[in-house]
Amino acid sequence: MDEDELVRAWRAVEREPGAVLLDGFHALKHALRFGGEVRRVLTADRAALLALAGELAPDVVPALEGLAVEVPEAVLRGLVPRLHPTGVAASAVRPGARANRAVLARRPRTAPVVVLENPRNLGNVGAVIRLAAGFGATGVVTTGDLDPWHPNVLRGSAGLHFATAVERLEPEQLPDGPLYVLDPEGADIRDVPFPDEALLVFGTERHGVSEELKARADHLVAVPMQPGVSSFNLATSVGMGLFHWMSGRR
């Protein structure tokens, strides 16, 4: 396949329903490792990509050997908004909304669902998804207009969307389960255990959780802060909440 054919094939995959950009080696690695449907892999240096995979992720080398196609760096730069330092880009298909909702709704749950109400920062959402995957959360739900599968979110999560269920829902579509809302006026988190079936709800750093969602809460929970400190970073708060849940399971 010549360069023009490769470009046309890449553009065709981009237009497919559910297509997402995997930006860089680590996003690609996790998509392959966790069963993502990877359609195309383009790299500026195939030998270097396979060597990197051999060093960091030998389990994905066989898949990469069958998928990776080398193209000139200039061509690759013309296909992606910003070429990752690892010189690789891939196209994959996001899991269907129905499948994600089924995972989120399944009961009993063995780990909480993280709910981000109307998040605004793409990088923060990616970091939260990475944390959720690392702690083994059931999934991450966002409300509002931010797309949790945006390429910059996938970059921030290092492709770990494929290791958990990530979906955007309306507030009234949240899975069943007790709502534990993180709010400065809540009870000290150290005194409130989080059950496996909890929905852990986090708002934005500026506005916190809405009054509407707080009214639905089963528990308001606060992380103690020093006087004069207004908030923690969103991903930091989620990390503390998930660690608190995990610590209670020993």
Side-chain angles (χ1 to χ4, degrees):
M1 190 178 291
D2 64 25
E3 289 178 16
D4 289 341
E5 290 173 322
L6 284 170
V7 170
R8 285 195 295 271
W10 178 270
R11 294 301 187 198
V13 169
E14 279 186 323
R15 293 191 292 270
E16 292 179 2
V20 292
L21 173 65
L22 301 177
D23 189 18
F25 172 73
H26 296 292
L28 172 59
K29 169 191 71 179
H30 286 131
L32 292 171
R33 180 173 289 165
F34 292 102
E37 185 180 346
V38 179
R39 294 288 183 84
R40 293 270 174 189
V41 178
L42 300 181
T43 175
D45 188 334
R46 189 175 189 276
L49 171 62
L50 293 176
L52 182 64
E55 178 184 354
L56 300 180
D59 55 307
V60 306
V61 169
L64 282 178
E65 287 177 333
L67 286 167
V69 176
E70 185 170 299
V71 297
E73 183 175 321
V75 172
L76 191 51
R77 288 187 181 277
L79 294 176
V80 296
R82 177 168 52 123
L83 183 60
H84 192 273
T86 54
V88 60
S91 182
V93 179
R94 64 189 285 177
R98 180 177 296 181
N100 274 337
R101 291 182 184 187
V103 170
L104 293 165
R106 193 176 299 142
R107 305 288 293 276
R109 279 190 289 272
T110 58
V113 173
V114 174
V115 179
L116 305 181
E117 187 184 27
N118 197 28
R120 310 314 305 156
N121 185 285
L122 296 166
N124 263 344
V125 176
V128 166
I129 293 166
R130 190 169 185 170
L131 284 165
F135 280 105
T138 294
V140 176
V141 170
T142 66
T143 69
D145 56 4
L146 182 147
D147 178 9
W149 284 83
H150 187 282
N152 288 352
V153 182
L154 273 158
R155 179 186 277 249
S157 81
L160 283 163
H161 285 62
F162 293 93
T164 189
V166 178
E167 197 60 48
R168 176 171 53 184
L169 299 174
E170 297 298 325
E172 60 271 16
Q173 296 174 317
L174 292 180
D176 290 335
L179 264 64
Y180 285 70
V181 172
L182 275 287
D183 183 80
E185 302 303 317
D188 191 313
I189 191 172
R190 293 170 291 186
D191 300 325
V192 184
F194 290 165
D196 295 347
E197 299 225 328
L199 276 66
L200 306 182
V201 183
F202 300 83
T204 62
E205 284 110 340
R206 177 171 296 182
H207 301 295
V209 177
S210 68
E211 294 299 324
E212 291 78 9
L213 204 48
K214 282 197 286 188
R216 293 172 51 187
D218 295 281
H219 301 274
L220 295 180
V221 185
V223 176
M225 288 186 292
Q226 291 297 307
V229 178
S230 57
S231 69
F232 291 114
N233 174 272
L234 174 61
T236 301
S237 296
V238 173
M240 288 189 286
L242 288 173
F243 183 79
H244 177 66
W245 159 74
M246 186 182 70
S247 298
R249 301 183 85 237
R250 293 200 306 170

